Amino acid sequence: SQQGEEDPQALSIQEGENATMNCSYKTSINNLQWYRQNSGRGLVHLILIRSNEREKHSGRLRVTLDTSKKSSSLLITASRAADTASYFCATVIGGATNKLIFGTGTLLAVQP
Amino acid sequence: KAGVTQTPRYLIKTRGQQVTLSCSPISGHRSVSWYQQTPGQGLQFLFEYFSETQRNKGNFPGRFSGRQFSNSRSEMNVSTLELGDSALYLCASSLEAPLRGRAFFGQGTRLTVV
C-alpha cells in the first residue's frame, strides 16, 4: 500500500496563479521528497526536506513539512504552462534501504 | 555526466512470455531501485540493489526478479507475463545508502502485454 496520499488529485489553474498541493503520510520519515513527472516519462526530483526541517525554498517552489500532522505541502508560485505535470511526494522511512514510497500524485494543469 | 539509461523504451509482449529490462545507473552510483507505475496502483516499489545485493523487495510475486552486476548495471526480469503487468517500469539510481539525497530516474520502459 502507498504511504502517502495527495490532495487534490487534480488541479487546474491559470498561468501566473499559485498552485498548492498537499501530501499526507502514515509513518515516521527520514525525509520527504517531491518529484515531477511529465506525461508518461521519468520522474524529476524537485526538492527534499528532512524530518528536522519545517520549510524549504527552491526558486518558485516552497515546501513545508509538519511532522506532527504527518503532512507536507508544495507551493508553486507564478505558475507557467510548462509546470503542467503530475507531482508526487515520496517518503524515505529510514534504515538501510533506498526505498521511496510514493503518494498518489496531483495532476496539475496550467492554462496559458 | 550521463543520466540513468533504461532500455528498451517500449516493449510489446504476449501473455506467457518473459521480458528483461535493463538499467544503467549514473556513473559512481551503487544503488539501483525499480518501480512499477500503473494507473490503478500508482508508483510501486519493486526492489533495490546495492553492490550486487538485493536489499529490499516490494510486494510483488516471484515472477518479478532482478539482479545487479559488478558495474552497477541492473536488469529486471518478469516471467510468465500477465495483462496486468502492462506498466511503465522506472529505474532510479542513487549515491548514498541509505537514501539521504535525491534519486535520479530514467525515462522508463513502457511494457504492453497483449
Side-chain angles (χ1 to χ4, degrees):
Chain A
S1 64
Q2 287 175 302
Q3 157 85 310
E5 292 208 357
E6 286 166 74
D7 142 67
Q9 287 189 350
L11 180 60
S12 182
I13 58 174
Q14 297 293 126
E15 250 186 340
E17 294 181 336
N18 296 342
T20 300
M21 289 159 262
N22 303 295
C23 165
S24 60
Y25 56 91
K26 297 174 186 172
T27 62
S28 296
I29 60 171
N30 179 295
N31 66 63
L32 186 145
Q33 305 182 23
W34 285 88
Y35 287 84
R36 184 185 75 213
Q37 183 180 38
N38 290 87
S39 180
R41 306 191 68 181
L43 293 155
V44 175
H45 180 269
L46 294 175
I47 196 164
L48 178 154
I49 187 165
R50 304 191 190 284
S51 59
N52 61 353
E53 296 176 312
R54 291 296 166 257
E55 188 171 312
K56 208 159 182 183
H57 297 253
S58 176
R60 295 184 295 113
L61 305 180
R62 173 179 168 251
V63 167
T64 61
L65 179 65
D66 187 334
T67 53
S68 66
K69 294 181 180 176
K70 292 187 169 58
S71 67
S72 174
S73 67
L74 170 67
L75 168 68
I76 304 174
T77 59
S79 62
R80 305 165 182 168
D83 294 329
T84 295
S86 291
Y87 291 81
F88 295 89
C89 67
T91 54
V92 177
I93 293 175
T97 177
N98 282 12
K99 176 179 176 179
L100 283 165
I101 304 178
F102 284 90
T104 50
T106 293
L107 178 59
L108 172 66
V110 181
Q111 310 297 332
Chain B
K1 211 178 202 181
V4 179
T5 304
Q6 289 188 248
T7 56
R9 289 293 310 279
Y10 301 93
L11 264 180
I12 299 176
K13 289 286 190 178
T14 305
R15 270 182 302 175
Q17 286 187 314
Q18 68 96 26
V19 67
T20 299
L21 312 182
S22 179
C23 172
S24 293
I26 290 173
S27 177
H29 286 193
R30 292 160 62 192
S31 171
V32 174
S33 302
W34 289 88
Y35 295 82
Q36 181 198 63
Q37 185 177 27
T38 60
Q41 298 298 315
L43 279 153
Q44 301 282 326
F45 173 80
L46 279 157
F47 26 67
E48 184 232 346
Y49 288 87
F50 184 82
S51 293
E52 301 178 68
T53 300
Q54 185 182 90
R55 297 198 304 177
N56 207 344
K57 191 176 194 300
N59 189 25
F60 280 82
R63 301 184 296 106
F64 290 81
S65 63
R67 58 178 175 168
Q68 186 180 33
F69 302 95
S70 58
N71 62 358
S72 292
R73 190 177 71 85
S74 177
E75 290 181 345
M76 68 162 280
N77 185 78
V78 188
S79 62
T80 320
L81 284 165
E82 301 176 359
L83 295 179
D85 297 333
S86 294
L88 180 67
Y89 289 89
L90 292 163
C91 164
S93 80
S94 54
L95 181 61
E96 296 172 303
L99 185 61
R100 295 193 179 92
R102 60 179 292 187
F104 294 78
F105 281 82
Q107 290 298 298
T109 294
R110 171 77 61 185
L111 172 65
T112 302
V113 182
V114 297

